[in-house]
Amino acid sequence: MEEKRAMYASPKSKRKVLLIAGAVSAAILVIIIAVGVYFGVKSHHNASTASDTASSDGSSNSGSTSSGSGPSQSKLAVTGGDGSTVTKEDGMTFTYSNSFGGTWYWDVNDPFNNGARPQSWSPALNETFNYGVDKIRGVNLGGWLTTEPVSSHAPALYEPYVNNTTPAIDEWTLSVNMAADAAHGGLQQLETHYSTFITEQDFAQIAGAGLNYVRIPLPFWAIETRGNEPFLAKTAWTYFLKAIQWARKYGLRINLDYHALPGSQNGWNHSGKLGSINVLMGPMGLANAQRALDHIRIIAEFISQPEYSSVVTMFGITNEPQLTQIGESQIQAFYLQAYEIVRKAGGIGAGNGPIISYHDGFLSLEQWGGFLPNADRISLDDHPYLCFNTQSPSPINTYATTPCSVWGSNFNASMTTFGLTQAGEFSNAVTDCGLWVNGVGQGIRYEGTYVADPSFQSVGSCTPWTNWQAYDQSTKAAIQQFALASMDALQNWFFWTWKIGNSSVTGVVESPAWSYQLGLENGWMPTDPRAAAGVCGNSAPWSPPLATNQLGTNPSATLAASVTAQYPWPPATITFGGKAAQVPVYTPTGAIPTLATPTFTQSGAKVTTTPSVGSGWENAADNAGLMVNIATCSYLDPWIGTTVAPPSPLCSAGASKKREPALEYVEPRITALPTP
């Protein structure tokens, strides 16, 4: 954690299928899987699946895809396993590859069936995931719905604009540049990115790679934008709906990560805008926090609906807040508010809304021990990286057990003192080599060109680390050993990230240490992540079970009044803002927006049912208005920074709240799900 914070030392350096019913015999199921014939839950279900090729070795080129119109309706299958033929929504077909006993399920007339299983050892979506016993083995889908140049997730998006007068260094400036580039599609280039960077093929491959979870970063502009915020509004949500459908089909669970908050929770480029922190910090810090809590509420109400709660099972309510700058009491008060909001939406106990995941804010894990005792299903999220501090010329084989000694005992201890603890991000990087790992134009510590801190002297060339085409077998084996040690030390984890896009300049991946998929394709990631078990030789591992409130089996899991009293809301003071009573706030009088629900289609299948897709809002009693401006009060730009004083006076005579003339509120309009 300290290493990653060091990376951001200066504002200029920010980086960053219910399966077939039990009445059907196992023998029949095997035959069905083997020959890929039509099988439906009901005789009139003529549906199919939508997916691309997945391979047990992660190859993105495995399997076969036809270019024709697909099989006839009578031959469409709704379930299958390794070697089965499936049909995508557009009628294209491919062969599913999963050597781990995973089975997919998709029937357009039964779209909420939760019988899919990613592997034989991972629970199906309609089965209990026993946290602490069943391991989270996951990957991030970084750079998809929240773009960022860091680690070059999709460098081809940014490269055309990095030399402009206002270079693209974050999604804010990328959006501004794209909007001005009508010749290349304007801002709609982002939707092209959403539809092509991560597809159903990736979800199939992830299950085939032995993984059972995906962490999906989602920004606030998936819900709404205000004022002059330049982001492509609401469109990312429609693709998150696709992600739910594809994850359900392959039995994968989702950790939805609220990655970018209005105003920015850390001032880093992956929060939307590089620069200052404006959440719980500065004169607009409290108002931005109120708006962010509204977004958490809107998301929680949607994913707590029974149609989605078996798939979206974890909710990271804020990614990487800079707690050490914002303040510990301020962040913890915000975390309690988020807890109450999410639990009001779904209720208490397993299946009633998601596990709530808290990022550690770059405090040590031990400092979170005992936070919110007896809370229902909370998890602690740590992002351990080795690459953002001291650089070493030592080869990768010298790091064989480093994750074990650096991370292992801390995670063991946190599983006891806090409860479920997971690494929401980690990678194979032991240096900061790679395209824009530190940000656009920010240089590289390893080569002595790091802009934020010139005291870093060169220790060598990055070429041996980034020229993955030249890796020999011993190098690949050493990287794989590091990955396995990391997985064993961390126990429950999400690798950052599944895919790194090719550079449009060189035509290849320029940050190989950050791509799980590339490692599978080229032999330096384990084809079976279970091989990590025991690599660290842990002599004192954490032993299950988790406490009943952690597992959602305690119906009395409530927070004592003495606990909640420790975290008053709003906080008494806002760092660089002043007393809470002296900074702008919003008032809950706005219309409540609900998120769009999915529509389902399938080429070659007749839709005979109209499934209930939910209303978008689980708890009808949760009916407070949206936080919006009051016409008689004054506001600053929500991204103003921390060096400006609050408006004075805040409100005109007789006003009891504060207003926001600079950000006229427009009720969010949710874009419909794109038609395949």
Side-chain angles (χ1 to χ4, degrees):
M1 295 180 291
E2 290 298 323
E3 290 83 356
K4 189 168 187 180
R5 290 179 57 211
M7 164 187 170
Y8 299 114
S10 161
K12 296 181 179 179
S13 65
K14 312 299 190 283
R15 100 97 182 115
K16 237 229 300 205
V17 226
L18 180 48
L19 287 173
I20 306 311
V24 181
S25 70
I28 294 175
L29 181 57
V30 169
I31 293 171
I32 293 170
I33 293 173
V35 301
V37 299
Y38 170 83
F39 185 86
V41 174
K42 296 180 181 179
S43 61
H44 65 274
H45 285 187
N46 295 312
S48 89
T49 59
S51 117
D52 299 285
T53 304
S55 169
S56 60
D57 68 0
S59 171
S60 61
N61 298 316
S62 59
S64 58
T65 303
S66 74
S67 59
S69 60
S72 67
Q73 178 176 331
S74 63
K75 293 182 180 180
L76 292 182
V78 298
T79 189
D82 188 36
S84 59
T85 298
V86 294
T87 307
K88 299 195 297 180
E89 289 174 292
D90 60 3
M92 304 293 286
T93 62
F94 70 93
T95 301
Y96 182 59
S97 180
N98 185 318
S99 64
F100 299 129
T103 51
W104 55 268
Y105 186 99
W106 172 250
D107 182 347
V108 72
N109 288 302
D110 188 17
F112 295 106
N113 190 301
N114 290 324
R117 180 188 302 276
Q119 305 89 29
S120 62
W121 63 80
S122 294
L125 295 176
N126 58 7
E127 297 175 341
T128 299
F129 197 104
N130 188 3
Y131 295 94
V133 176
D134 296 319
K135 300 293 187 184
I136 296 174
R137 300 181 175 100
V139 287
N140 283 270
L141 299 183
W144 182 29
L145 304 181
T146 307
T147 73
E148 54 183 283
V150 175
S151 306
S152 312
H153 304 126
L157 279 177
Y158 285 80
E159 285 169 328
Y161 307 110
V162 295
N163 294 316
N164 284 9
T165 302
T166 301
I169 59 174
D170 49 34
E171 191 154 343
W172 183 293
T173 51
L174 176 68
S175 299
V176 169
N177 279 283
M178 283 185 167
D181 186 11
H184 292 94
L187 202 54
Q188 292 306 309
Q189 292 177 84
L190 280 168
E191 183 163 7
T192 300
H193 166 73
Y194 296 157
S195 66
T196 57
F197 184 61
I198 295 292
T199 69
E200 187 176 339
Q201 175 176 346
D202 294 288
F203 285 78
Q205 290 178 356
I206 289 166
L211 306 173
N212 54 25
Y213 249 101
V214 289
R215 181 174 180 261
I216 303 180
L218 195 72
F220 77 84
W221 53 91
I223 301 172
E224 51 108 26
T225 57
R226 301 184 187 182
N228 68 343
E229 293 168 343
F231 308 106
L232 180 62
K234 310 172 185 69
T235 307
W237 176 256
T238 67
Y239 288 88
F240 185 74
L241 291 177
K242 284 291 188 184
I244 297 176
Q245 178 180 333
W246 296 334
R248 191 193 308 274
K249 178 176 177 181
Y250 297 104
L252 299 168
R253 289 168 169 83
I254 292 175
N255 175 1
L256 188 164
D257 180 65
Y258 186 28
H259 211 72
L261 279 59
S264 178
Q265 72 278 17
N266 52 38
W268 299 339
N269 57 14
H270 51 76
S271 70
K273 188 177 185 182
L274 175 65
S276 58
I277 301 170
N278 292 279
V279 174
L280 291 174
M281 196 166 175
M284 288 300 292
L286 183 52
N288 281 328
Q290 291 177 307
R291 185 178 169 200
L293 288 170
D294 266 348
H295 297 160
I296 290 170
R297 177 179 171 220
I298 292 165
I299 292 169
E301 286 289 353
F302 188 96
I303 65 177
S304 294
Q305 297 175 104
E307 292 87 355
Y308 311 99
S309 60
S310 294
V311 180
V312 189
T313 54
M314 185 176 289
F315 183 11
I317 52 90
T318 299
N319 179 66
E320 297 186 346
Q322 275 279 48
L323 179 150
T324 54
Q325 293 190 43
I326 295 170
E328 184 173 356
S329 62
Q330 287 84 353
I331 287 294
Q332 291 182 338
F334 181 84
Y335 278 5
L336 174 59
Q337 289 298 301
Y339 175 87
E340 300 287 3
I341 286 169
V342 177
R343 289 292 165 254
K344 184 173 184 178
I348 301 296
N352 295 319
I355 295 169
I356 300 168
S357 177
Y358 294 124
H359 185 264
D360 58 24
F362 305 102
L363 295 184
S364 67
L365 292 177
E366 66 180 352
Q367 290 177 270
W368 288 95
F371 179 64
L372 301 185
N374 205 42
D376 177 60
R377 295 170 297 138
I378 62 175
S379 177
L380 187 58
D381 175 17
D382 181 58
H383 297 176
Y385 289 109
L386 297 178
C387 59
F388 294 125
N389 204 337
T390 302
Q391 303 293 298
S392 170
S394 300
I396 186 62
N397 61 11
T398 65
Y399 293 87
T401 60
T402 300
C404 306
S405 59
V406 175
W407 303 333
S409 62
N410 293 333
F411 275 77
N412 277 336
S414 186
M415 290 290 288
T416 298
T417 60
F418 182 93
L420 180 60
T421 304
Q422 31 89 23
E425 299 179 16
F426 78 101
S427 77
N428 286 331
V430 297
T431 75
D432 66 341
C433 292
L435 180 62
W436 300 335
V437 167
N438 296 309
V440 175
Q442 295 305 306
I444 300 169
R445 295 174 182 83
Y446 194 86
E447 294 187 332
T449 61
Y450 186 44
V451 173
D453 188 353
S455 70
F456 280 92
Q457 300 299 303
S458 174
V459 297
S461 168
C462 278
T463 299
W465 297 96
T466 59
N467 185 18
W468 53 270
Q469 300 94 328
Y471 289 173
D472 58 24
Q473 192 54 46
S474 62
T475 298
K476 294 180 180 181
I479 298 173
Q480 184 169 140
Q481 165 62 29
F482 178 83
L484 290 169
S486 299
M487 294 171 182
D488 194 33
L490 301 173
Q491 303 178 44
N492 298 281
W493 46 266
F494 297 86
F495 186 92
W496 187 277
T497 183
W498 170 244
K499 176 186 289 186
I500 297 291
N502 291 337
S503 163
S504 62
V505 176
T506 66
V508 298
V509 171
E510 293 290 349
S511 303
W514 300 81
S515 177
Y516 201 109
Q517 184 189 62
L518 187 71
L520 282 174
E521 292 172 342
N522 291 278
W524 65 78
M525 288 301 284
T527 57
D528 184 347
R530 294 176 300 169
V535 167
C536 286
N538 194 341
S539 60
W542 175 83
S543 298
L546 292 166
T548 56
N549 62 296
Q550 288 277 324
L551 294 171
T553 57
N554 180 1
S556 301
T558 57
L559 297 174
S562 60
V563 172
T564 60
Q566 298 175 43
Y567 311 106
W569 185 262
T573 60
I574 302 298
T575 304
F576 296 120
K579 294 180 180 180
Q582 298 174 344
V583 298
V585 296
Y586 298 139
T587 189
T589 59
I592 302 173
T594 55
L595 294 168
T597 54
T599 58
F600 304 109
T601 61
Q602 178 62 63
S603 177
K606 182 179 181 181
V607 178
T608 61
T609 64
T610 303
S612 171
V613 296
S615 65
W617 202 264
E618 172 61 9
N619 183 3
D622 183 7
N623 54 16
L626 197 72
M627 288 289 183
V628 295
N629 59 290
I630 291 180
T632 54
C633 298
S634 299
Y635 289 80
L636 301 170
D637 184 328
W639 304 81
I640 192 68
T642 60
T643 61
V644 178
S648 180
L650 284 174
C651 301
S652 61
S656 60
K657 297 286 183 180
K658 302 147 183 85
R659 68 183 178 91
E660 182 189 23
L663 281 184
E664 179 182 358
Y665 175 73
V666 179
E667 183 176 349
R669 299 180 178 87
I670 305 299
T671 306
L673 186 69
T675 302

